């Protein structure tokens, strides 16, 4: 079982990350991935991502470990960028490999849903009117709650 | 006791600082927030229920007992991904 | 909305397919993918995939169109190989892009689940003891049934 | 009437051919299967409930009415992906 988590300001290549996870273990038939990009519209010019260095990495590691405890995975990868990003640039990559497809797909959904509410990242949007912090969305809480026990609180 | 207090994102901008050393009689998160508001009313946003407290890298409740040397971080709701 | 389906004997590069879908539309924040590979173990030497030329392509197109009707997608891609494949080689790639992550993730799960039971592909396994046709798995029917209405029968 | 009959995968191997032209009085899938078994008992596998029938590129039921010139394909359960 290989876990890889990383917080970086540099851009990454999602296809390269996907291929790096593929075909490394012979009993591994399934590779699933999610990547998030800066979405244009509503006058958005750019995003800026702030985080809590040290704590973020621990939170991502914890999320990947939880996924690996819950599903039979071979690899789990979470890469998240910080700093300023233009429209269309990648923000986050989440990937999992597993012997079976359901495990890989569910683990990826789990990791991205939980990451949104459990890892200390904050987004600021820049548009023609200035800048503002993105508010957390109730539906993100609901998506994370799908996976987490009501009383379980993940440590950062 | 002496604590390191950190503020992130909107709270950092509101408080005008990312980090400060304080010497306070507060022994819990709740008491620390009250003490910070007493010192500067701008800190009233820390009372908002959505504010999370991370002490020494662990998310804790407001009732968590603080000890000298702790790093207490105030965080608005996370919005990564 | 762009749909791309393809049946081919040539190998493909999942990372390249993923990147080809990314960042092509500015309101598109989410990219999800699944790829399946030949899983080793149990003495397996190679796989051979047979299909129903013409009908397969129509079935894949129908599956991608169903996904696009059901979720707000920007792109849907299904690439499936046929012929002989060695362990670790890619068999299938399914990808979706969407403004929102849930749509992209659910559409990918839908397409791979439904493909397993609704597209005319047949797998033959070669091992030290000879060759045999892979039997359809009941759990695949269940996974597809999650998505399809009980009485709905997708045409090939 | 004359039909083109195709067999795939395990059924192709069982029947020993991928495609044949037949002239049959059968007017439905069920009747065609009975006629094929009558002709050669190896065709009894076509009766298995998991066998799917695709007529002119559409999955149909066994009761589907056949017409002259139809391409009728017998398919074992699909196992792609």
């Amino acid at each position: 079982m290989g876990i890889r988590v990383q917080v970086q300001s540099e851009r990454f290549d999602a296809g390269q990350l996907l291929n790096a996870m593929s075909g490394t273990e012979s009993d591994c038939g399934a590779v699933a991935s999610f990547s998030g990009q800066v979405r244009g519209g509503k006058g958005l010019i750019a995003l800026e991502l702030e985080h809590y260095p040290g704590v973020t990495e621990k939170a991502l590691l914890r999320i990947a470990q939880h996924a690996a405890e819950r599903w039979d995975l071979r690899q789990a990868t979470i890469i998240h960028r910080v700093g300023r990003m233009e429209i269309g640039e990648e923000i986050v990559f989440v990937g999992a490999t597993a012997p079976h497809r359901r495990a890989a797909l569910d683990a990826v959904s789990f990791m991205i849903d939980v990451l949104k509410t459990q890892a200390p990242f904050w987004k600021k949007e820049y548009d023609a009117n200035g800048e503002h912090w993105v508010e957390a969305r109730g539906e993100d809480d609901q998506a994370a709650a799908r996976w987490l026990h009501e009383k379980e609180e993940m440590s950062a | 006791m002496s604590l390191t207090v950190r503020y992130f994102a909107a709270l950092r901008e509101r408080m005008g600082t990312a980090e400060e050393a304080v010497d306070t009689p507060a022994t819990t998160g709740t008491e620390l927030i009250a003490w910070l508001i007493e010192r500067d009313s701008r800190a009233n946003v820390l009372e908002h229920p959505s504010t999370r407290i991370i002490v020494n890298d662990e998310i804790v409740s407001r009732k968590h007992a603080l000890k000298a040397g702790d790093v207490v971080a105030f965080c608005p709701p996370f919005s990564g991904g």
Side-chain angles (χ1 to χ4, degrees), chain A, chain B:
Chain A
M1 172 67 210
I3 286 181
R4 177 179 176 196
V5 304
Q6 205 162 309
V7 178
Q8 61 183 51
S9 53
E10 298 74 33
R11 295 192 63 167
F12 60 75
D13 181 318
Q16 217 165 67
L17 292 170
L18 187 73
N19 284 348
M21 292 199 311
S22 307
T24 52
E25 338 241 340
S26 75
D27 74 336
C28 203
V31 185
S33 79
F34 174 83
S35 59
Q37 304 168 348
V38 181
R39 187 172 64 236
K42 297 182 200 161
L44 185 77
I45 295 167
L47 271 193
E48 191 166 332
L49 258 289
E50 177 173 335
H51 77 127
Y52 190 164
V55 176
T56 321
E57 290 83 349
K58 282 168 76 169
L60 298 184
L61 188 59
R62 192 80 66 105
I63 292 166
Q65 282 167 340
H66 276 219
E69 282 160 20
R70 191 153 169 171
W71 291 279
D72 181 24
L73 305 181
R74 292 296 169 271
Q75 291 181 76
T77 299
I78 306 176
I79 313 288
H80 204 298
R81 289 181 66 207
V82 292
R84 187 182 167 95
M85 295 158 221
E86 312 292 323
I87 290 167
E89 283 188 31
E90 59 288 347
I91 305 171
V92 61
F93 176 89
V94 173
T97 70
H100 298 289
R101 76 178 183 287
R102 196 74 260 148
L105 286 163
D106 284 350
V108 164
S109 285
F110 168 87
M111 289 191 284
I112 186 65
D113 282 349
V114 171
L115 182 154
K116 294 233 168 203
T117 65
Q118 303 288 324
F121 290 105
W122 299 276
K123 275 197 195 87
K124 182 186 261 188
E125 293 182 345
Y126 291 86
D127 60 27
N129 300 320
E131 54 183 67
H132 68 274
W133 292 98
V134 174
E135 296 196 14
R137 299 187 315 162
E139 60 185 277
D140 286 335
D141 289 333
Q142 284 165 29
R146 276 208 312 156
W147 301 107
L148 302 171
H149 297 298
E150 236 176 42
K151 301 215 169 169
E152 179 182 354
E153 198 163 305
M154 290 180 71
S155 310
Chain B
M1 62 186 157
S2 56
L3 301 171
T4 301
V5 182
R6 305 189 62 171
Y7 308 99
F8 284 92
L11 297 178
R12 174 176 50 72
E13 291 181 349
R14 168 82 171 194
M15 299 300 289
T17 183
E19 182 173 324
E20 59 175 333
V22 301
D23 199 344
T24 170
T27 61
T28 66
T30 307
E31 289 178 19
L32 177 58
I33 292 170
W35 184 83
L36 288 165
I37 294 172
E38 179 81 19
R39 193 191 63 172
D40 178 346
S41 64
R42 278 181 308 177
N44 62 359
V45 292
L46 302 178
E47 277 190 314
H48 194 281
S50 70
T51 298
R52 293 211 210 179
I53 303 179
I54 295 179
V55 175
N56 305 334
D57 298 2
E58 299 287 329
I59 296 177
V60 299
S61 80
R62 275 149 211 248
K63 289 175 287 186
H64 179 85
L66 301 174
K67 57 185 199 311
D70 278 352
V71 177
V72 182
F74 289 105
C75 301
F78 305 152
S79 58

